[in-house]
Amino acid sequence: MIPLRYNARSLVRRRTTTIAAALGMALVVFVLAASLMLSSGIKKTLTQSGRPNVAIVLRKGSDAELASGVEKAHVALVSAREEVARDGSGAPLSVGEVVVVITQEKIDGNGISNLSIRGVPENVYAFRPTVKVTEGRPARPGTDEVVVGKRARGRFKGVDLNKAFELKKNLPVQVVGVFEDDGSSYESEVWGDLETVRRGFGREDGVSSVRVQLTSPEKMDAFKTAIEGDKQLQLEVFPETTYFEKMSEGTSAFVNGLGITIAVFFSIGAMIGALITMYASVAQRRKEIGTLRALGFSRSSILFSFLMESLMLAVAGGVLGVLAALGLGFVKFSMMNFASWAEVTFSFNPTPEILVFAVVFGGIMGVIGGFFPAVRAARVPPIAAMRGA
Amino acid sequence: MSTAASSAHASAGITVRDVTKVFYRGKEPLTVLDKLNLEVTPGQFVALMGPSGSGKSTLLNLIAGLDRPSQGSVQVGQSSVSNMADSELAKWRSQNVGFIFQTYNLMPVLTALENVELPLLLTKLSGAERKKRAQTALRVVGLEDRSTHYPRQLSGGQEQRVAIARAIVNDPSLIVADEPTGDLDRQSADDILTLLTKLNTDFGKTIVMVTHDPAAAERANVTRRLNKGQLS
Ligand SMILES: Nc1ncnc2c1ncn2[C@@H]1O[C@H](COP(=O)(O)OP(=O)(O)OP(=O)(O)O)[C@@H](O)[C@H]1O
Ligand SMILES: [Mg+2]
């Protein structure tokens, strides 16, 4: 076998063209890795707050909280089921919440964007123990005070600690606290008093959704059957985990699809780059190749050697692209979540699988792009060694 | 190289019989060699001379198995070179022929030692054994202290000596050289010729050398002249 260092050093020798072609590959791998990381980040953000023992109850046929409505009377009925866990005082562990989306001017001057407002009852912190008010204080029930999620904070006009903004015309609210929830999608929301939000948006008759904590995840089926079986209610039950997964599907699939589409288009360019680089290299090295053939190296060993060379080129580019993509780990990215029609802030989630896949993808591009030049190299006859350069 | 004398194929005879080589320029046939015959006995050092374009390199390529005759046969040792398939021929070259080119043809990205080691990569020898043999070959050409140098760090004469080390590292039965001193000054040329003579006398290698240089031809046992497709 022709030693790999022959190929590695040949690449180094043609530094300029090698770097140009490798950068093309790096770009492809970067785009691919970045979109996969973002898609994974979206899934992580949108699904992490789901708990297997929590059921979400929506109006039948409405896939998301925003489109759903549950009558006040039904909230009590649902909460009273025997599968629902109770706190020390015997009150059911359940929350009925109103979710609305408002448009709000952004701080960076990029016009307006959607902001999710959640009207929450008093026991919301007990119901979601992972949510912590980290700055300021919780909003007092029955007031026009709100708390804002860490990721929504500072992105919209007035949506920051000790500032004020209007939920709608003539409905000003005061931001008294900032909350965190391990980076979940709640962090992109504003939480206000349930009654205030209800009144402001004409939802006095009910809530958007009811969440109940069951005594155990095994009770999910029984609860679901009972609620959905009651045809009067016209309600639908989802395990919270399933619900969040469904919510994230559209958005993460969109990002995935977009990223892969862009990567595939770019990769055509990068493949042509590798192709041209390797063709030029083969043309320049005809005498070298002829000499190798004269010394007795077979056509197939020449073919393999040149395939390895373009593979090395591509993998070097790929590693560079992946390193650049890793740098995105520090970048926050906000975009519309299609399911909630509100802006949610995501981060890029690098997983080993994604990084390896992206580099392998680059490598495959390199082998494909390098194939025809390698065939041409393998066709160089041994007498090419005798002729002038 | 110390084992060269006891090698199974220390030297090979060559029989070129009724060889014709026709090249085509478009549809125009160009008969370079015309029913040519040549006999080289084992261990002989033959110089091939003749005007430019007379077909010296063409003949050498046929003998070394780089190309095939249009008609006729080439026999080297026990092997019928003109009848072998491409892959068979490549293997045969790697085991039986050492090449020395006018332009040295070293791999620019490999060190002297790595260049010499190249032909051994086609054998089953261990890495350590390959290195040892390559070093031995470099010692034969007097360049053991240059083993880590790249071709661009060597003079033309030194490059050609590395090429000679590469040509002998596999202990071939035949060495072919196409104007090995063509690009060298007198002193370096003489060093190379002395080396070739030594390979012929001390190691018994059969050598066929194309040259324009009468001083080079003098070192050979016989000089054959090529003209108009025929030897004289
Ligand atoms: N592959 C080829 N295709 C077409 N013509 C060729 C080919 N190889 C050699 N020739 C022609 O055959 C003739 C002999 O060429 P060759 O290289 O054998 O000459 P030479 O005696 O080695 O000359 P020089 O002393 O200049 O090296 C020349 O006219 C050359 O142009
Ligand atoms: Mg010639």
Side-chain angles (χ1 to χ4, degrees):
Chain A
M1 200 182 95
I2 300 165
L4 294 179
R5 58 174 181 267
Y6 166 73
N7 305 102
R9 290 184 202 158
S10 293
L11 287 172
V12 173
R13 189 152 180 260
R14 286 165 188 76
R15 217 168 275 112
T16 322
T17 48
T18 296
I19 289 173
L23 284 181
M25 240 2 130
L27 182 65
V28 171
V29 171
F30 173 79
V31 169
L32 182 68
S35 47
L36 293 178
M37 277 163 62
L38 182 59
S39 157
S40 156
I42 288 170
K43 237 196 173 94
K44 189 174 160 197
T45 299
L46 293 183
T47 59
Q48 68 165 280
S49 37
R51 285 178 286 170
N53 63 338
V54 169
I56 179 163
V57 183
L58 301 176
R59 191 181 64 218
K60 197 170 175 188
S62 54
D63 285 335
E65 280 183 287
L66 199 57
S68 162
V70 181
E71 281 174 46
K72 247 179 185 167
H74 292 166
V75 177
L77 221 112
V78 164
S79 305
R81 292 284 318 172
E82 57 174 357
E83 296 89 358
V84 176
R86 274 147 214 291
D87 67 13
S89 66
L93 287 175
S94 76
V95 287
E97 296 171 324
V98 173
V99 179
V100 294
V101 165
I102 65 167
T103 54
Q104 185 71 13
E105 213 172 313
K106 291 178 89 169
I107 267 179
D108 56 16
N110 276 339
I112 56 171
S113 189
N114 288 349
L115 176 61
S116 253
I117 311 291
R118 184 177 294 271
V120 296
E122 240 185 292
N123 66 340
V124 67
Y125 299 109
F127 190 80
R128 293 195 185 90
T130 53
V131 176
K132 301 256 157 33
V133 174
T134 51
E135 275 181 73
R137 56 173 176 79
R140 278 174 300 158
T143 65
D144 59 0
E145 293 177 353
V146 300
V147 289
V148 300
K150 185 182 148 199
R151 296 186 191 218
R153 165 189 205 183
R155 298 189 44 244
F156 297 91
K157 286 233 165 95
V159 184
D160 207 340
L161 191 57
N162 300 324
K163 296 233 168 85
F165 66 97
E166 287 187 326
L167 281 189
K168 60 184 285 193
K169 214 153 186 55
N170 300 323
L171 183 53
V173 289
Q174 313 295 321
V175 180
V176 297
V178 176
F179 69 89
E180 291 183 17
D181 184 28
D182 296 332
S184 81
S185 56
Y186 291 130
E187 286 188 358
S188 297
E189 296 179 345
V190 171
W191 287 5
D193 178 70
L194 177 60
E195 295 309 326
T196 309
V197 176
R198 260 182 173 164
R199 243 180 296 116
F201 294 88
R203 302 285 292 264
E204 284 93 342
D205 54 331
V207 293
S208 303
S209 66
V210 185
R211 279 179 172 76
V212 296
Q213 186 178 324
L214 304 179
T215 49
S216 78
E218 287 75 46
K219 290 278 157 57
M220 189 62 72
D221 285 344
F223 180 74
K224 186 176 168 72
T225 316
I227 300 293
E228 291 179 358
D230 188 338
K231 296 293 177 228
Q232 308 276 221
L233 296 177
Q234 288 291 306
L235 294 175
E236 211 166 348
V237 175
F238 303 97
E240 203 183 29
T241 43
T242 314
Y243 173 74
F244 280 126
E245 239 155 63
K246 233 175 58 188
M247 292 287 90
S248 72
E249 255 164 27
T251 310
S252 85
F254 171 76
V255 170
N256 243 341
L258 189 71
I260 288 172
T261 308
I262 295 173
V264 164
F265 273 107
F266 279 18
S267 70
I268 293 170
M271 244 156 56
I272 292 172
L275 185 96
I276 291 171
T277 306
M278 292 307 294
Y279 261 140
S281 190
V282 169
Q284 265 177 32
R285 287 151 75 186
R286 274 183 68 82
K287 193 169 165 183
E288 250 175 81
I289 299 164
T291 304
L292 289 170
R293 293 281 286 123
L295 294 180
F297 287 95
S298 64
R299 277 175 204 282
S300 53
S301 68
I302 301 280
L303 181 85
F304 179 75
S305 177
F306 275 79
L307 280 180
M308 289 310 287
E309 191 164 320
S310 70
L311 177 67
M312 281 182 199
L313 173 78
V315 167
V319 168
L320 202 68
V322 155
L323 288 179
L326 274 177
L328 290 174
F330 305 102
V331 175
K332 299 264 180 282
F333 190 88
S334 64
M335 65 176 286
M336 185 77 85
N337 174 19
F338 296 147
S340 66
W341 292 112
E343 268 210 353
V344 182
T345 300
F346 305 107
S347 27
F348 293 85
N349 180 36
T351 68
E353 291 83 0
I354 291 175
L355 302 181
V356 169
F357 174 78
V359 172
V360 167
F361 181 86
I364 290 171
M365 293 298 100
V367 170
I368 295 175
F371 182 74
F372 289 104
V375 167
R376 180 171 287 185
R379 288 203 179 136
V380 171
I383 43 166
M386 287 295 188
R387 304 223 185 92
Chain B
M1 287 310 301
S2 53
T3 60
S6 62
S7 167
H9 44 66
S11 59
I14 303 167
T15 306
V16 176
R17 183 156 297 143
D18 294 329
V19 158
T20 297
K21 182 69 183 179
V22 183
F23 288 116
Y24 286 89
R25 292 231 173 98
K27 285 207 165 75
E28 198 72 31
L30 174 69
T31 305
V32 177
L33 304 177
D34 190 9
K35 296 215 177 67
L36 180 142
N37 286 287
L38 171 66
E39 193 76 37
V40 177
T41 57
Q44 212 172 21
F45 184 173
V46 179
L48 276 179
M49 297 189 80
S52 185
S54 57
K56 304 182 295 294
S57 298
T58 303
L59 177 58
L60 197 70
N61 292 347
L62 295 179
I63 291 171
L66 292 181
D67 205 357
R68 284 204 191 75
S70 309
Q71 272 164 39
S73 70
V74 176
Q75 176 107 12
V76 176
Q78 303 305 309
S79 312
S80 177
V81 178
S82 45
N83 283 339
M84 281 191 258
D86 271 7
S87 57
E88 212 183 336
L89 206 51
K91 190 171 174 210
W92 175 79
R93 283 195 303 268
S94 76
Q95 293 170 347
N96 295 280
V97 187
F99 288 91
I100 302 169
F101 305 91
Q102 179 174 353
T103 51
Y104 328 130
N105 293 25
L106 299 176
M107 302 298 134
V109 297
L110 299 182
T111 64
L113 189 73
E114 287 164 351
N115 265 291
V116 175
E117 195 188 347
L118 263 184
L120 297 178
L121 295 173
L122 293 162
T123 67
K124 290 195 167 64
L125 296 175
S126 71
E129 181 65 20
R130 290 200 305 261
K131 199 138 283 166
K132 210 181 99 197
R133 291 201 187 184
Q135 259 150 0
T136 306
L138 274 178
R139 193 173 320 124
V140 169
V141 301
L143 284 177
E144 64 266 53
D145 56 337
R146 297 302 186 109
S147 60
T148 60
H149 287 214
Y150 286 90
R152 64 171 185 283
Q153 299 169 313
L154 300 171
S155 72
Q158 289 169 335
E159 278 196 74
Q160 193 61 300
R161 275 148 71 192
V162 172
I164 291 175
R166 180 179 66 187
I168 59 176
V169 75
N170 258 354
D171 193 16
S173 50
L174 167 67
I175 290 174
V176 295
D178 195 348
E179 301 188 36
T181 59
D183 281 6
L184 298 176
D185 60 74
R186 187 71 261 160
Q187 181 57 51
S188 307
D190 284 341
D191 291 348
I192 296 300
L193 291 167
T194 303
L195 246 174
L196 286 178
T197 310
K198 186 170 129 187
L199 293 179
N200 177 242
T201 54
D202 297 5
F203 299 103
K205 302 291 176 200
T206 305
I207 300 179
V208 181
M209 173 180 72
V210 169
T211 186
H212 282 294
D213 176 8
E218 255 171 45
R219 306 285 194 117
N221 308 137
V222 257
T223 300
R224 305 297 304 268
R225 283 175 202 286
L226 195 55
N227 209 350
K228 303 213 169 73
Q230 298 288 332
L231 276 173
S232 59

